[in-house]
Amino acid sequence: RTMGPWTWVTWVAVSLMAAYYAFTNFEKAFPITSLDISADRAFVVGKASNLRESLYNDVTLRPQLGSDFYSAAEFESSSSVQHFVELEGGGNKNFSDLIKTGVFRPFQWKVRHYYPGETTESSFSFDPSGEIIGFTTKLAEDELATGNLNESEAVKLAVKVATGDPWNLDINNETLYKLVEHSTETQVGGREDHTIVFEETEHKSLHFGDGRIQIALSVKGDSVAGIMPIFKVPEAFKRRYQNMRSLNEALSLFAWVLIVCVYGIGLLVAIYKLLRSRWLVSWPALKCSVIVSAFVTGTVVNGYPQTWMQYDTATSPAAVLAQFSLMVVVSFVFYSIILWVSLMGSEGISRTVFKPHIQLWSHVRSLRILASKQVMSDIFIGYLLVPIMFAYEVMFYFFNQHVFGWWTPSSPLVDPNISATYLPCLTPIAMAFFAGFWEEVLFRGLPLSGSKYISSSIFSSILGMLGQAIIFGAAHANYPAQPSYARLVELILPSILFGVLYIYRGLVPGVVMHFVYDLVWMGLPLFLSKNPSAWGTFNQVVVIIVGLSPLLVSLIANMIYGDPSSEVFRQNLNSSWKPEPKSEEKKKESIQRLPKAPQIYSNIGSQILLPIALALCIAHIGTSPEISEKIPEFGFIQSAEGSARILANKMRFPSKMNKLSLQSMQMQGDEANLRMKNLQNELNDVQKQYSKREEAKLSKAELNKLKQISEESRVRIEEKMDKFREVVTYLQNVEGSIPYQFDIALNWTRLPAFFSRSADSQQQRYIIQNYPELIGSLSENGFIPKSGWKVRFVRLFTNETVEKKAEEWSVDIGDFVENKAKISHTLPEGVIGLNLTRKEAQTFLLSSLTDLSIFPEVCNDPQEVLAEPIKHPRRTDWKFEYKCTASSEVTIKEDLPLDLRVVGEVSGRVDGSLEVLYVQQYVKPPENWLRNDRNTRKIVGLIKKAVGMISTFGFIVASGFALYYWGEGNSGFSSTIAVRSFCAFSVISLIRHSNNILHLAYTFSTAESVETQVFTKIASILTLLAIHGSVFALITSLSFSLGFRSRQHPGTPPRKVKLTAIAIGLTIRAIELMVSTRFPRVAPVRVDTSPLQAIVPYFHLLFGGTISLIVQIAVCLCIINSILWSDGYTQNSSSIIGFARNFGFFTLCGLLLAGSVVTPVASAFHFLALTVLMTSTAWMAHILCFKYHTNTIPFAVAAWRSVVMLHRGVQLVRLLPSNDLTSPGMLLPLGYLSAFCFEWILTIWYSKYTQPNVNQK
């Protein structure tokens, strides 16, 4: 394994040549954006403060001058603009020209001035050199202005300020800029806000395609409050890019599915085998994982200053700090567990099959091994491979870009945000080491050693080598590069090389190479920054020292200890490792049954608690506080096709929305056909001229320009013809009007889904708290959304372009009364239409709203508060918003107004007709109330996240203990239980997901291929199913194992004990209902109509309830048995320790119960009360019943879940029409669940698999 001098000379020579080639050809392979980033964070923050003082009297800036404020800054890049210009706007050269000309800066510094609790704030934008670009100011909606300006005055003021210092924009030059949009909005306080958009025309020569460079000016009241350049990326490109990127994401998802399923299962099997053979070494792996995870988590803490750029000033800084701390803890736990499991399995299997390798942990704990020539050689090889890897990357991308036209986004290679962190060098060091260490362990160590462990044949080795290379490459395919398989092809060859290196040299060379290679990439921003300070120089030195640390440590160790003897070296090889001998003495377990439960406890539960809890549940079921809704009388037992056809037949547009006669359509179709023929002749002439450009004496540029103009005309006419072919009109005489009805053509796909409108929305919380008497009226008039059907009509399975597929119709039917439905029409941005004037669109919309009876009785005299033109490339639509004044019958609170809004959008077609694209009604709560509500809800959200983290961590710990007991072969643990639990959970979950296929299909995007979306959704579902099923199986098996260890009764409990358990379950449900009705709530509670989303609704209720039931049974069994099992460790301890232990366990149980039943509309006080009551109930249940008979837990949980499902079934039966055949089916899950639970838990598993163990001596 040692190499001769000439071999080393060859290695060094090749590495040096590779370094020279990579350095000299780097820019040819990787497009580099030339940026003059001479400004750092401190400079732009200081300049923003100076501008705030100098510009305060000229423009509107907040917080006000002289008041306290905080600053936050970050460096931003507009990736969407970059990708558009590089792919469709002229390529990398045009993107560089865009930066050089300065017409738009895709890379900017952003500085934010804010103060906690204040609505108003300002932000400044600077270019990389520190020159001001623009600013925006946010004002409170009720802030008054000294005066309001009309449209012409606002334009004059905005132009005056923008053309002055320091902006110096020549927007008053009509040859350079043109006014394209001017919208007005009236705020609550009466202030008139104007948004004025100028579009630049000078730089069209840069050929940005349909991209548009604009200047947005904001005038609020009588002062300018914003000047900001923007780049409008075409919608068509966004959809094409989404379609293109979906393949990258699908490849990456495919790799991660294999990682989770194949590698994950491999790790579990490896740990199990190693435990059984006593070859598992866990403690060094845990220490290493904790240290590495601490460094990685340090990068999260390191970026804390940047979190204030996204800080919501409505929430308290303490809540932000709490949320950030929670994220830090979650990151640390996640990385620790992932690393620990990966290291244990991979290192253990490698130790069994690669005998000549040095033991991995010898590198960590023994400096003498680090001093050996073998380790020094491995480290040095890793360093020599770094330039070779760079040379390969340069050669690979240079060849494919110039030969095959592959695309890689250009990069400035500089990230100034790194200087905004506490310790800039920490992020590249920690992330490079984590990626290098963990990826080599997972992608090289596990598959290569695992394939050799399974079989020593050459076929198995080749399969492992190719498998790890493909999975490693595909896992990195989500990088922005084209084609989608670029990264996969790129990394296959290096992965095979590193795999061969691992087989012959071990893990060290690959880890060193991977670490240093990533460190060079990630640390470049520290070295390319201009004018680094002393602090910047210090971070550069740290990066260099850490990058050389593996070699330096090995050299220092060699200087101290010298090369170890051959005997010492052999002792640290894998071949010399021996497991500790198994103890011959086996402790005999004497099964001592616990005493039976006192008779008084059984009497209390069965005779007192049971009738009280049952009466409370029945009382609350009959008087539930939910808002009931009328459900449409179709769609529940019909197919998706039938539901869509019923909806299509009921769709009606107002008579004045589109009055197009069939004759008019035919005439316009004939005209379009004639124009198409003329255009085809024109295109033929162009092609002839192009083929004979020398005879015609036309330059290639002139011909291309002519061809482009003709092509655009052809596309526009074809779009018009497509529209005429798709839309078929029917003239029907309904109530004296002639409505317009569109026919569902064969190329439209119908995607129906039932939506259960959540009550957890701010507008609903506002109404229930302040105007509860108007809930019914506002809901009937559409201002509060209702549960109901929603159907999308899309072109999902056609061969049309993604641009055309952007068009879709949507029908939203809540309470289907008088054949009214909310219909919206989404038009692609590139559709040709009319450039409507404000008056034309306004007159048509008001007339249509009157015909639709949109304005309800509760509001009078609608006032226009928003008029916004929406300028598309080939048409101008208009969006209007109206404010309804409440009628005199409604008592309005002084500080809490009832602000009803109606929003509509109008578009004009080329045939001269107008169309209302959509109409939406909503309630607009006051801004101050919204901010207070967000602050309140932030606390509830943090509590729920903390509970979720605790429960997830508990599941992981329980799974780890189960795997440990399983591997050790302890008594009481049955693999049969685990397998059957996994199968039961997987089958039920799979049926449940299949039943929700309608709702899943509704979410499909027309910008991506159907095949890709089907694959990603199925892969995601199966992966999550495998993870959840495995965790459930391990927890279930652990609960039975702990039950055996705690010497519990395996038999069927007495009748009174069963009744006591049922009483406990009913008590839990009664407490939940009482807390929901007696404690203050912040929003109404709607009936849960989520089962109606499924194809068979009662299957949704059935299998969803079954999964909740078996999971909660397993968790409760695990917790109670853990308490009883731990009695053996604390029985000799003081009562204080026992009380503290029980308090911790039952508090955890109370949190989990509260987290599983609390609704998303609950307040923090609601959650706290529920947690306290659930904790007390769990403790009481333990004292009365569970500590004597743990096998009564299924009775308690089943009773609780059965009442829950009975409640939901009764609610749904009330909602469904009387002739709906599914109503009786809603009650079927009750009997099924009881039978399933008791048979599954008690008879089949508990008695069969734990009874024999009890009889052991």
Side-chain angles (χ1 to χ4, degrees):
R1 291 179 47 141
T2 58
M3 297 189 298
W6 288 109
T7 306
W8 281 112
V9 170
T10 304
W11 268 96
V12 173
V14 171
S15 183
L16 290 175
M17 288 188 293
Y20 176 78
Y21 174 81
F23 182 78
T24 54
N25 295 277
F26 188 85
E27 294 189 15
K28 298 178 182 178
F30 298 100
I32 298 178
T33 303
S34 178
L35 287 179
D36 176 23
I37 308 182
S38 55
D40 58 9
R41 180 182 181 278
F43 177 82
V44 295
V45 168
K47 189 166 185 177
S49 298
N50 295 333
L51 285 172
R52 180 172 178 268
E53 296 180 359
S54 61
L55 298 176
Y56 189 81
N57 294 326
D58 300 328
V59 297
T60 301
L61 295 174
R62 295 292 184 274
Q64 294 185 355
L65 195 64
S67 58
D68 295 333
F69 69 94
Y70 294 97
S71 296
E74 68 177 355
F75 191 78
E76 296 180 350
S77 61
S78 179
S79 58
S80 60
V81 174
Q82 178 182 355
H83 296 158
F84 167 69
V85 176
E86 291 183 350
L87 288 171
E88 297 186 4
N92 293 334
K93 181 181 180 301
N94 265 20
F95 184 66
S96 299
D97 293 341
L98 175 67
I99 297 174
K100 291 177 182 178
T101 55
V103 294
F104 180 77
R105 279 87 166 185
F107 300 94
Q108 301 177 4
W109 278 104
K110 292 282 188 180
V111 179
R112 180 189 183 193
H113 288 174
Y114 68 96
Y115 193 79
E118 296 290 337
T119 304
T120 58
E121 61 177 69
S122 293
S123 64
F124 299 86
S125 297
F126 301 89
D127 67 8
S129 63
E131 293 299 323
I132 185 68
I133 297 175
F135 82 102
T136 57
T137 297
K138 178 183 178 182
L139 300 180
E141 65 178 11
D142 57 354
E143 182 174 337
L144 301 178
T146 55
N148 289 322
L149 303 178
N150 58 33
E151 291 188 5
S152 60
E153 292 173 340
V155 172
K156 290 180 181 179
L157 176 62
V159 170
K160 178 182 177 182
V161 174
T163 55
D165 189 62
W167 321 107
N168 300 318
L169 299 173
D170 197 12
I171 58 176
N172 56 356
N173 189 340
E174 295 182 357
T175 61
L176 302 180
Y177 292 92
K178 63 178 180 179
L179 179 64
V180 292
E181 293 182 18
H182 187 163
S183 62
T184 60
E185 181 176 7
T186 304
Q187 299 295 338
V188 175
R191 189 184 69 245
E192 293 283 346
D193 293 350
H194 300 262
T195 301
I196 306 157
V197 179
F198 287 86
E199 188 168 295
E200 187 171 301
T201 59
E202 178 189 19
H203 294 277
K204 292 296 183 183
S205 59
L206 291 178
H207 303 297
F208 292 136
D210 288 333
R212 293 171 288 165
I213 300 174
Q214 298 177 338
I215 304 293
L217 308 176
S218 175
V219 177
K220 298 188 177 183
D222 57 354
S223 178
V224 175
I227 299 175
M228 187 60 62
I230 54 179
F231 192 108
K232 297 283 286 187
V233 177
E235 177 195 57
F237 169 77
K238 293 179 181 178
R239 294 178 58 82
R240 286 192 296 269
Y241 186 75
Q242 181 182 350
N243 183 40
M244 179 179 67
R245 289 286 296 150
S246 65
L247 298 177
N248 296 70
E249 299 294 341
L251 269 177
S252 179
L253 177 63
F254 171 72
W256 283 103
V257 168
L258 293 179
I259 290 171
V260 172
C261 296
V262 179
Y263 287 5
I265 294 174
L267 281 172
L268 294 178
V269 173
I271 293 174
Y272 169 76
K273 292 288 188 180
L274 293 170
L275 275 169
R276 281 295 176 95
S277 60
R278 304 180 66 82
W279 274 65
L280 185 69
V281 179
S282 59
W283 183 241
L286 178 60
K287 290 191 293 185
C288 182
S289 302
V290 169
I291 294 173
V292 175
S293 299
F295 276 102
V296 176
T297 308
T299 62
V300 179
V301 179
N302 204 30
Y304 178 69
Q306 292 176 263
T307 60
W308 297 104
M309 284 297 295
Q310 289 76 40
Y311 164 61
D312 183 2
T313 57
T315 60
S316 65
V320 175
L321 181 59
Q323 183 177 10
F324 185 82
S325 302
L326 183 64
M327 182 177 63
V328 169
V329 173
V330 171
S331 300
F332 175 75
V333 173
F334 172 77
Y335 285 120
S336 298
I337 293 173
I338 291 294
L339 270 173
W340 189 28
V341 175
S342 302
L343 279 175
M344 280 195 302
S346 178
E347 186 273 335
I349 294 295
S350 177
R351 194 172 354 104
T352 61
V353 297
F354 291 111
K355 300 296 185 180
H357 289 182
I358 302 175
Q359 298 174 26
L360 178 62
W361 305 125
S362 296
H363 296 88
V364 179
R365 64 171 177 253
S366 176
L367 287 177
R368 290 186 180 274
I369 297 301
L370 290 176
S372 65
K373 292 182 179 179
Q374 175 67 41
V375 175
M376 291 181 65
S377 300
D378 292 342
I379 293 174
F380 199 62
I381 289 174
Y383 281 103
L384 293 177
L385 284 173
V386 173
I388 296 176
M389 184 65 183
F390 272 104
Y392 167 78
E393 294 286 322
V394 170
M395 189 181 302
F396 179 87
Y397 278 102
F398 178 80
F399 176 80
N400 287 292
Q401 286 177 10
H402 290 80
V403 176
F404 297 111
W406 289 13
W407 170 73
T408 302
S410 60
S411 171
L413 298 179
V414 179
D415 182 15
N417 280 325
I418 200 171
S419 63
T421 58
Y422 294 121
L423 186 61
C425 63
L426 176 61
T427 300
I429 291 173
M431 297 309 298
F433 183 70
F434 174 78
F437 185 55
W438 180 66
E439 289 183 4
E440 292 302 313
V441 167
L442 184 68
F443 291 104
R444 245 67 70 185
L446 181 64
L448 295 178
S449 59
S451 61
K452 190 174 180 63
Y453 183 84
I454 295 172
S455 174
S456 58
S457 65
I458 187 66
F459 175 78
S460 178
S461 300
I462 293 175
L463 184 63
M465 181 69 70
L466 294 178
Q468 64 88 19
I470 293 174
I471 292 176
F472 180 74
H476 293 77
N478 58 342
Y479 285 49
Q482 285 299 311
S484 57
Y485 51 81
R487 291 284 289 172
L488 171 62
V489 175
E490 168 199 347
L491 293 175
I492 284 182
L493 184 59
S495 298
I496 294 176
L497 173 63
F498 301 148
V500 173
L501 191 66
Y502 169 78
I503 292 175
Y504 287 98
R505 306 290 301 190
L507 200 63
V508 173
V511 170
V512 172
M513 184 284 307
H514 205 148
F515 163 63
V516 177
Y517 177 80
D518 287 351
L519 185 62
V520 172
W521 274 112
M522 297 178 184
L524 273 178
L526 291 175
F527 293 88
L528 296 180
S529 299
K530 295 185 178 181
N531 304 320
S533 60
W535 176 244
T537 305
F538 168 78
N539 283 274
Q540 293 174 357
V541 173
V542 171
V543 170
I544 295 174
I545 293 176
V546 173
L548 296 174
S549 59
L551 184 60
L552 294 177
V553 171
S554 182
L555 290 174
I556 294 173
N558 186 267
M559 293 174 58
I560 297 175
Y561 297 102
D563 193 25
S565 63
S566 58
E567 181 63 26
V568 173
F569 187 80
R570 281 196 302 270
Q571 291 176 358
N572 286 274
L573 295 178
N574 287 337
S575 57
S576 301
W577 195 90
K578 296 289 188 296
E580 294 182 3
K582 196 170 184 178
S583 176
E584 297 294 335
E585 298 182 1
K586 186 176 180 180
K587 185 179 179 180
K588 295 183 179 180
E589 296 181 328
S590 59
I591 306 301
Q592 298 179 357
R593 299 179 183 271
L594 293 175
K596 295 183 179 180
Q599 187 68 25
I600 187 174
Y601 288 173
S602 301
N603 293 335
I604 291 174
S606 59
Q607 299 177 12
I608 300 177
L609 186 61
L610 180 60
I612 294 176
L614 186 61
L616 289 174
C617 289
I618 295 175
H620 282 84
I621 288 177
T623 59
S624 59
E626 286 86 353
I627 296 177
S628 61
E629 298 175 298
K630 184 178 179 181
I631 302 300
E633 298 185 4
F634 56 85
F636 299 127
I637 58 175
Q638 302 180 45
S639 64
E641 180 76 14
S643 300
R645 288 192 178 278
I646 292 175
L647 287 172
N649 292 332
K650 292 178 179 291
M651 288 172 55
R652 295 290 187 273
F653 282 89
S655 59
K656 294 185 179 180
M657 193 171 287
N658 271 299
K659 282 188 176 180
L660 300 177
S661 65
L662 185 61
Q663 180 181 3
S664 175
M665 291 291 293
Q666 291 174 346
M667 292 176 58
Q668 295 185 46
D670 294 339
E671 179 185 355
N673 285 323
L674 179 61
R675 293 184 61 185
M676 184 67 75
K677 292 179 181 179
N678 295 335
L679 179 62
Q680 186 62 46
N681 295 331
E682 182 182 350
L683 290 177
N684 293 335
D685 293 340
V686 172
Q687 292 174 355
K688 291 179 181 179
Q689 292 178 6
Y690 184 76
S691 60
K692 300 179 180 180
R693 57 180 182 274
E694 294 182 356
E695 298 179 3
K697 296 181 180 180
L698 292 176
S699 66
K700 186 176 181 180
E702 291 174 337
L703 283 171
N704 286 338
K705 185 176 181 181
L706 180 61
K707 184 177 180 179
Q708 180 181 3
I709 295 174
S710 300
E711 181 69 15
E712 291 178 354
S713 300
R714 184 185 65 82
V715 170
R716 289 196 296 267
I717 296 298
E718 284 186 347
E719 288 179 348
K720 181 178 178 181
M721 287 298 300
D722 288 343
K723 176 53 63 180
F724 292 144
R725 295 188 188 103
E726 293 165 3
V727 179
V728 179
T729 58
Y730 295 91
L731 303 179
Q732 298 178 353
N733 192 0
V734 179
E735 295 181 359
S737 63
I738 304 178
Y740 168 74
Q741 177 184 12
F742 84 92
D743 179 55
I744 305 176
L746 295 177
N747 60 344
W748 289 86
T749 303
R750 307 150 182 87
L751 300 177
F754 191 90
F755 280 82
S756 179
R757 307 301 185 188
S758 171
D760 189 30
S761 66
Q762 288 188 312
Q763 65 170 351
Q764 294 191 47
R765 290 199 295 271
Y766 179 73
I767 293 298
I768 194 63
Q769 292 180 31
N770 302 287
Y771 298 97
E773 70 278 4
L774 297 179
I775 291 178
S777 175
L778 294 176
S779 181
E780 291 296 328
N781 287 280
F783 287 89
I784 294 180
K786 290 187 174 186
S787 300
W789 282 97
K790 192 170 184 179
V791 180
R792 292 174 62 204
F793 297 91
V794 296
R795 296 185 178 104
L796 200 60
F797 297 98
T798 62
N799 295 323
E800 296 171 300
T801 61
V802 292
E803 296 89 340
K804 290 185 178 180
K805 288 183 178 181
E807 181 180 13
E808 68 175 67
W809 298 81
S810 176
V811 185
D812 190 354
I813 301 180
D815 196 353
F816 199 79
V817 179
E818 298 178 0
N819 289 340
K820 290 183 179 179
K822 290 185 179 180
I823 306 175
S824 63
H825 186 192
T826 303
L827 286 175
E829 188 180 67
V831 168
I832 304 173
L834 301 177
N835 290 316
L836 296 176
T837 64
R838 176 173 178 173
K839 185 176 181 180
E840 291 173 340
Q842 183 185 56
T843 303
F844 176 75
L845 179 61
L846 284 174
S847 176
S848 300
L849 293 179
T850 303
D851 290 347
L852 280 170
S853 301
I854 291 296
F855 298 113
E857 298 177 356
V858 295
C859 69
N860 303 317
D861 188 23
Q863 299 176 356
E864 182 184 293
V865 294
L866 174 66
E868 178 184 357
I870 304 174
K871 177 62 179 175
H872 297 293
R874 298 176 179 89
R875 74 176 192 275
T876 301
D877 299 340
W878 279 85
K879 175 183 177 182
F880 296 92
E881 183 170 344
Y882 295 93
K883 176 182 178 181
C884 299
T885 303
S887 62
S888 57
E889 300 177 359
V890 180
T891 304
I892 304 300
K893 298 181 181 180
E894 183 177 355
D895 298 330
L896 299 168
L898 180 62
D899 194 350
L900 306 180
R901 299 294 179 99
V902 178
V903 183
E905 185 173 337
V906 180
S907 181
R909 300 303 184 87
V910 291
D911 54 24
S913 63
L914 302 183
E915 178 184 1
V916 176
L917 297 180
Y918 72 90
V919 175
Q920 178 184 0
Q921 302 114 293
Y922 71 99
V923 179
K924 186 179 186 303
E927 186 177 43
N928 291 332
W929 185 93
L930 291 174
R931 291 173 59 84
N932 293 331
D933 181 71
R934 289 204 305 271
N935 188 34
T936 303
R937 301 295 298 166
K938 187 77 170 180
I939 300 174
V940 179
L942 286 175
I943 294 174
K944 295 191 67 176
K945 288 179 181 178
V947 172
M949 185 194 72
I950 293 172
S951 60
T952 303
F953 181 71
F955 287 143
I956 294 173
V957 171
S959 301
F961 272 107
L963 191 62
Y964 175 76
Y965 290 147
W966 186 24
E968 280 199 335
N970 288 292
S971 58
F973 194 96
S974 174
S975 58
T976 307
I977 292 178
V979 172
R980 295 184 65 174
S981 298
F982 178 84
C983 293
F985 184 92
S986 301
V987 170
I988 296 172
S989 298
L990 195 59
I991 295 175
R992 184 187 180 194
H993 285 295
S994 301
N995 196 33
N996 290 329
I997 191 171
L998 283 181
H999 199 269
L1000 194 65
Y1002 183 87
T1003 62
F1004 276 16
S1005 170
T1006 56
E1008 302 177 18
S1009 66
V1010 178
E1011 296 80 4
T1012 302
Q1013 296 181 79
V1014 169
F1015 166 75
T1016 54
K1017 292 185 182 299
I1018 292 178
S1020 301
I1021 290 174
L1022 293 180
T1023 303
L1024 291 176
L1025 189 147
I1027 295 174
H1028 294 165
S1030 301
V1031 172
F1032 170 72
L1034 291 172
I1035 291 177
T1036 304
S1037 301
L1038 177 65
S1039 64
F1040 289 105
S1041 176
L1042 293 174
F1044 169 75
R1045 288 166 173 265
S1046 59
R1047 285 75 165 165
Q1048 293 305 295
H1049 296 288
T1052 303
R1055 183 179 63 86
K1056 286 189 176 182
V1057 178
K1058 292 179 184 178
L1059 293 176
T1060 302
I1062 294 174
I1064 292 170
L1066 296 178
T1067 302
I1068 293 175
R1069 178 57 180 170
I1071 290 173
E1072 178 190 357
L1073 291 172
M1074 283 191 297
V1075 172
S1076 299
T1077 55
R1078 297 295 182 265
F1079 284 85
R1081 303 185 65 84
V1082 295
V1085 183
R1086 290 185 181 274
V1087 174
D1088 183 14
T1089 56
S1090 59
L1092 302 180
Q1093 299 174 356
I1095 299 176
V1096 184
Y1098 55 84
F1099 274 16
H1100 179 92
L1101 189 64
L1102 171 67
F1103 295 112
T1106 303
I1107 291 175
S1108 299
L1109 175 71
I1110 60 179
V1111 170
Q1112 288 167 351
I1113 288 176
V1115 171
C1116 291
L1117 279 171
C1118 191
I1119 292 176
I1120 299 301
N1121 282 324
S1122 298
I1123 296 173
L1124 297 173
W1125 173 62
S1126 63
D1127 282 339
Y1129 294 94
T1130 59
Q1131 59 184 357
N1132 297 325
S1133 304
S1134 64
S1135 58
I1136 298 178
I1137 296 178
F1139 177 82
R1141 179 207 62 188
N1142 290 341
F1143 179 80
F1145 272 114
F1146 288 117
T1147 301
L1148 173 62
C1149 189
L1151 283 172
L1152 295 179
L1153 289 173
S1156 64
V1157 301
V1158 69
T1159 58
V1161 295
S1163 62
F1165 182 66
H1166 177 190
F1167 188 91
L1168 178 62
L1170 196 58
T1171 301
V1172 172
L1173 292 173
M1174 289 297 182
T1175 301
S1176 304
T1177 304
W1179 207 328
M1180 177 195 68
H1182 179 69
I1183 295 173
L1184 290 178
C1185 185
F1186 294 160
K1187 68 181 297 184
Y1188 305 103
H1189 295 277
T1190 55
N1191 49 11
T1192 58
I1193 292 177
F1195 288 93
V1197 178
W1200 170 33
R1201 298 307 306 176
S1202 297
V1203 176
V1204 172
M1205 297 189 67
L1206 176 63
H1207 191 184
R1208 296 180 64 187
V1210 170
Q1211 291 171 339
L1212 291 173
V1213 168
R1214 289 177 179 175
L1215 292 177
L1216 292 173
S1218 57
N1219 60 347
D1220 198 315
L1221 298 179
T1222 61
S1223 301
M1226 292 297 176
L1227 303 177
L1228 291 180
L1230 300 176
Y1232 169 81
L1233 275 182
S1234 301
F1236 179 87
C1237 164
F1238 300 150
E1239 179 70 13
W1240 175 66
I1241 294 293
L1242 299 177
T1243 308
I1244 297 180
W1245 283 1
Y1246 203 94
S1247 300
K1248 182 176 180 179
Y1249 294 110
T1250 61
Q1251 182 70 39
N1253 291 331
V1254 177
N1255 297 328
Q1256 294 177 359
K1257 292 184 180 180

